[in-house]
Amino acid sequence: MTSKELRNLFLKFFEDKGHKIVKASPLVSTDSSVLFTTAGMQQFKPYYSGVLDPFKDIHPFLLTPLNSLNVCSIQKCLRTSDIDEVGDESHLTFFEMLGNFSFGGYFKKEAISYAWEFVKDYLQIDLSRIEITVFNGEKEIPKDEESYKIWLELGIPQEKIIFKGREDNFWGPTGKEGPCGPTSEIYVDGVEIWNLVFNEYFQYEDKKLEKLKTKGIDTGAGLERMLKAVQKEKIETIFETDLFKPLIEEIQKQTNLSYYSSPKPYRIIADHLKGIVFLIAEGIEPSNIDRGYVLRRLIRRAQRYANYLSLKDNWYESLVLKVIEMYKEFYPEIDQAPKIISVLNEELSKFQKLLKEGLKILKKEIEKLKTQEINDQVLANLVFKMYESFGFPIELTLEELKISFKTIDEELVKNKVQEFFKIHQEISKKGATKKFGGHGIDISKVEAGDEEEIIKTKLHSATHLLHQALIDVLGNEVKQMGSDINFERARFDFSYSGKITNEEIKKIEEIVNSKIKQALPVFFKEMSKEEALKINAKAFFKEKYPEIVKVYFMGQDENSAYSKEFCGGPHVKNTKEIGNFRIIKVESIGEGIKRIRAKIF
Ligand code: SER
């Protein structure tokens, strides 16, 4: 079976069972509490918590209501939590997740029966290869006897069903809060291929669990793992499936080291390159923070392994083209080879220079250490020094140290490095107090990384003004769809179907700057959600808010305030602290969704 056949089989199966097929959401999640989309359910979060109604409310990407309680999708995902594991037989950073979801349409019985029917009859995986796990209960959450019974009724022998605790069989939430619940998982040959989540709870930021009004289903099956499971006779790892083989072959053309003698670099390069292509295509640029940092790390890591295989200088060009060729049918947005290659050219020429010089120094330092007695403190010191003095990536120094000192306890060294960072940040905090003294923000409360935090706070306040100014100029169609702030810029996504003219952009900018000049006090008030909605405070429609909310006002008093918005803060104390506001880019990022990037000077 090819990956394309598996994609079609899955979607058709669930369509026949009354599911609406929904396209994948971007990797750059609009859920601002997470960096990336890591699961298929993320775009459906508001439906589980009841914030959006599938029949009445507009879906953020489809721009029509979902019009169905049951949906299915194939979602591109990026997870960096396992980045160090990539290179083994099953871990990836970029992967796709097949999933079926229900927001009150069905629950455990159907979810389990559908998954089992698909695995048994459609993938024709033999029962001898299967194992099932079920939630064993923990504290206030009861043992999942119901799922256990359903599996037994479907003919799974008792000894193949294993009860496990919260660590293994409870999923979610993604980000700070959201729907979550016990799971039941299907394993094939010892590898988990399908996670069935029974969303029964909403977990708040303080970890408090509350029962959801409507129970939901969220399932996720890794496309790569499932494809491998179905081809057991022919292949041994996911890297021999058609989702990787063309890339492995492309790498093989450029090196004398064969895949079979050293598979790890091949796998890492192939995996990372997919993530790189998808991220750049979505507009991420390499940088030292947030998403840009993840992209930079993927690029640098891939380059390290390309060096290991002695690939040619522009090794990535043919690989970028291959990734696009493999995926563009399903994700047309990645068809941007010139842009992707040019971002890589620029980033890698910088990195190669840094790497060459840094590695030389590091090798010398390592030689010196070999003549001494080493401990975690000494190694951590070197890691920190390489970073501080040369900008040499921490993980690369660690990897070099692992090669030279096989017995090092990496965790211990990492912890020590973190201590160094804390001390360093304390020192720069004192510096920042001097620099930013007299500023409206209570400096003593700002944690490490202050200067960046202060800029982020200013941008955050500017975003509130921008939000209102957009409504003033463009009208009520403007609804916030997402926002992301780092110390370099604010990004604000919102719904608006028309074209935005240069005059309008100028006007929006002028309004924001005039509100900054008016030196409006910024303050908040806690009130009931109902009251906040009554006074027309703007809410981010995809969030589920608690009963008591914080509303930020910018203006002389609550009634005359120019901006009123549900928000946890922090903000400046007065708009005049923001400085000059400038819109640097306006783009369309999907049908009816616009994105504004803005800076302050
Ligand atoms: N959300 C679950 C997971 O990511 C199932 O889709 O595993």
Side-chain angles (χ1 to χ4, degrees):
M1 189 183 290
T2 64
S3 55
K4 187 171 174 177
E5 283 161 356
L6 179 53
R7 287 174 200 273
N8 291 338
L9 193 67
F10 182 86
L11 293 177
K12 175 89 177 39
F13 176 84
F14 280 100
E15 194 176 35
D16 288 348
K17 304 252 182 240
H19 292 65
K20 174 164 180 168
I21 300 173
V22 177
K23 66 179 180 186
S25 69
L27 277 182
V28 176
S29 167
T30 45
D31 175 355
S32 57
S33 64
V34 292
L35 284 184
F36 298 112
T37 297
T38 56
M41 61 80 72
Q42 253 159 293
Q43 63 166 315
F44 304 116
K45 256 172 104 171
Y47 298 101
Y48 292 109
S49 43
V51 171
L52 290 188
D53 180 317
F55 294 97
K56 291 195 196 121
D57 293 313
I58 303 282
H59 176 274
F61 308 105
L62 301 180
L63 300 171
T64 62
L66 273 182
N67 282 329
S68 176
L69 290 178
N70 310 326
V71 297
C72 59
S73 71
I74 300 179
Q75 176 66 49
K76 51 179 173 176
C77 296
L78 193 82
R79 282 187 193 177
T80 48
S81 49
D82 294 334
I83 194 165
D84 292 324
E85 253 76 57
V86 177
D88 69 2
E89 296 196 350
S90 57
H91 286 92
L92 298 170
T93 55
F94 176 87
F95 63 99
E96 288 172 274
M97 201 185 265
L98 308 162
N100 56 293
F101 311 89
S102 183
F103 330 108
Y106 59 83
F107 202 49
K108 290 182 186 174
K109 188 159 176 54
E110 294 84 348
I112 294 176
S113 312
Y114 292 159
W116 183 235
E117 184 184 346
F118 191 73
V119 168
K120 181 166 108 348
D121 299 340
Y122 287 71
L123 302 184
Q124 299 186 343
I125 293 176
D126 198 79
L127 185 58
S128 63
R129 299 169 63 197
I130 301 276
E131 237 167 34
I132 304 294
T133 61
V134 175
F135 183 55
N136 199 21
E138 215 168 287
K139 288 193 192 136
E140 75 266 38
I141 318 162
K143 185 171 178 171
D144 189 0
E145 298 285 1
E146 190 186 345
S147 295
Y148 179 67
K149 274 200 204 105
I150 297 170
W151 283 115
L152 286 179
E153 279 163 20
L154 287 171
I156 309 293
Q158 201 175 323
E159 65 277 10
K160 283 192 169 282
I161 309 174
I162 303 151
F163 280 98
K164 289 192 170 182
R166 185 159 181 171
E167 176 99 349
D168 296 295
N169 279 67
F170 192 92
W171 197 88
T174 52
K176 292 193 189 117
E177 54 176 28
C180 55
T183 70
S184 183
E185 297 172 3
I186 303 176
Y187 283 71
V188 176
D189 307 329
V191 176
E192 178 206 327
I193 61 150
W194 207 337
N195 186 11
L196 316 179
V197 186
F198 312 122
N199 275 327
E200 287 181 67
Y201 300 95
F202 189 94
Q203 182 174 301
Y204 289 96
E205 219 175 323
D206 61 4
K207 304 270 185 282
K208 211 182 107 226
L209 286 177
E210 192 179 278
K211 280 244 173 198
L212 283 172
K213 281 200 192 78
T214 313
K215 291 176 180 173
I217 289 295
D218 151 30
T219 90
L223 174 67
E224 297 79 1
R225 288 186 184 184
M226 196 175 252
L227 187 61
K228 194 239 139 195
V230 90
Q231 301 182 17
K232 187 210 171 198
E233 288 71 28
K234 291 185 228 110
I235 60 169
E236 281 177 16
T237 74
I238 51 175
F239 297 96
E240 289 125 73
T241 64
D242 64 23
L243 292 167
F244 281 98
K245 216 166 168 209
L247 292 171
I248 305 282
E249 283 168 358
E250 202 55 50
I251 301 170
Q252 182 74 84
K253 282 186 202 157
Q254 296 187 36
T255 175
N256 294 327
L257 277 174
S258 80
Y259 172 69
Y260 290 97
S261 67
S262 45
K264 190 173 161 184
Y266 279 83
R267 292 172 181 173
I268 292 175
I269 293 171
D271 167 76
H272 288 10
L273 204 60
K274 289 187 193 178
I276 292 166
V277 167
F278 276 80
L279 286 178
I280 299 177
E282 284 192 23
I284 308 291
E285 285 168 15
S287 79
N288 282 336
I289 42 165
D290 297 343
R291 298 185 177 103
Y293 177 67
V294 173
L295 173 60
R296 173 160 282 169
R297 193 164 170 212
L298 290 173
I299 296 176
R300 291 181 166 190
R301 238 173 149 247
Q303 180 64 52
R304 276 275 324 284
Y305 287 95
N307 289 352
Y308 180 87
L309 293 179
S310 309
L311 301 189
K312 51 188 191 193
D313 283 349
N314 61 347
W315 58 272
Y316 44 88
E317 286 185 16
S318 60
L319 289 171
V320 167
L321 297 178
K322 196 45 103 190
V323 171
I324 293 174
E325 182 189 314
M326 287 162 66
Y327 285 95
K328 78 171 175 199
E329 181 181 349
F330 314 105
Y331 302 98
E333 67 275 17
I334 66 164
D335 197 4
Q336 304 182 48
K339 173 180 164 181
I340 296 165
I341 290 172
S342 122
V343 171
L344 280 168
N345 283 343
E346 195 177 319
E347 175 68 6
L348 285 174
S349 71
K350 273 193 248 164
F351 181 57
Q352 283 292 49
K353 209 162 143 236
L354 181 137
L355 204 57
K356 222 164 120 195
E357 287 161 12
L359 266 181
K360 239 196 265 163
I361 297 164
L362 180 59
K363 291 244 160 82
K364 268 198 206 138
E365 294 288 331
I366 288 178
E367 285 314 307
K368 266 196 241 159
L369 286 186
K370 279 185 178 161
T371 64
Q372 305 170 12
E373 201 172 313
I374 54 140
N375 57 32
D376 45 312
Q377 177 88 18
V378 173
L379 296 180
N381 197 5
L382 179 57
V383 177
F384 186 70
K385 191 172 121 191
M386 288 300 297
Y387 178 80
E388 256 304 283
S389 314
F390 313 109
F392 199 74
I394 292 165
E395 61 271 19
L396 297 193
T397 313
L398 277 171
E399 280 177 26
E400 284 299 322
L401 289 178
K402 263 196 290 183
I403 296 170
S404 300
F405 305 103
K406 298 230 161 26
T407 54
I408 74 169
D409 184 334
E410 203 182 339
E411 278 313 303
L412 226 57
V413 178
K414 274 190 190 160
N415 289 343
K416 274 270 170 316
V417 173
Q418 254 167 14
E419 276 174 34
F420 282 127
F421 269 98
K422 264 202 206 120
I423 297 167
H424 175 77
Q425 279 166 343
E426 282 301 319
I427 296 166
S428 55
K429 193 157 127 190
K430 288 199 186 103
T433 314
K434 272 197 214 122
K435 241 191 225 160
F436 291 89
H439 186 285
I441 296 165
D442 184 355
I443 287 288
S444 62
K445 297 220 173 66
V446 180
E447 289 297 314
D450 325 70
E451 293 173 40
E452 290 185 10
E453 286 308 317
I454 291 167
I455 297 170
K456 274 160 73 177
T457 304
K458 291 178 181 182
L459 276 167
H460 185 190
S461 303
T463 308
H464 279 216
L465 293 175
L466 171 67
H467 194 176
Q468 184 58 48
L470 283 168
I471 294 172
D472 290 356
V473 176
L474 303 175
N476 280 329
E477 194 197 332
V478 171
K479 294 267 177 310
Q480 177 176 356
M481 307 291 277
S483 145
D484 178 71
I485 294 171
N486 64 41
F487 80 100
E488 292 170 322
R489 53 103 189 109
R491 212 187 60 200
F492 190 79
D493 298 346
F494 59 96
S495 52
Y496 183 67
S497 49
K499 196 177 143 26
I500 304 177
T501 65
N502 285 340
E503 277 80 275
E504 283 166 335
I505 294 170
K506 229 173 117 210
K507 210 152 152 209
I508 293 163
E509 232 174 41
E510 274 167 14
I511 295 178
V512 174
N513 280 318
S514 83
K515 296 296 160 191
I516 292 173
K517 279 213 192 75
Q518 284 170 21
L520 303 174
V522 179
F523 58 97
F524 70 83
K525 201 182 151 196
E526 287 190 319
M527 53 177 81
S528 71
K529 190 159 63 179
E530 210 184 5
E531 199 186 337
L533 289 171
K534 219 186 278 160
I535 63 163
N536 244 337
K538 280 190 284 306
F540 183 16
F541 77 104
K542 286 192 298 164
E543 293 267 346
K544 184 185 159 82
Y545 291 94
E547 276 318 307
I548 299 294
V549 295
K550 220 169 158 182
V551 173
Y552 265 91
F553 296 88
M554 298 189 179
Q556 294 305 338
D557 54 51
E558 276 171 52
N559 286 336
S560 68
Y562 176 66
S563 153
K564 295 178 241 178
E565 199 159 326
F566 283 60
C567 181
H571 283 281
V572 296
K573 291 212 166 79
N574 187 296
T575 56
K576 72 170 184 241
E577 291 166 32
I578 297 172
N580 270 319
F581 173 85
R582 175 98 45 86
I583 291 174
I584 47 174
K585 196 169 176 191
V586 180
E587 61 188 322
S588 174
I589 55 162
E591 235 176 283
I593 308 183
K594 300 287 189 293
R595 168 170 292 176
I596 281 189
R597 283 171 211 264
K599 279 191 186 238
I600 49 171
F601 298 90

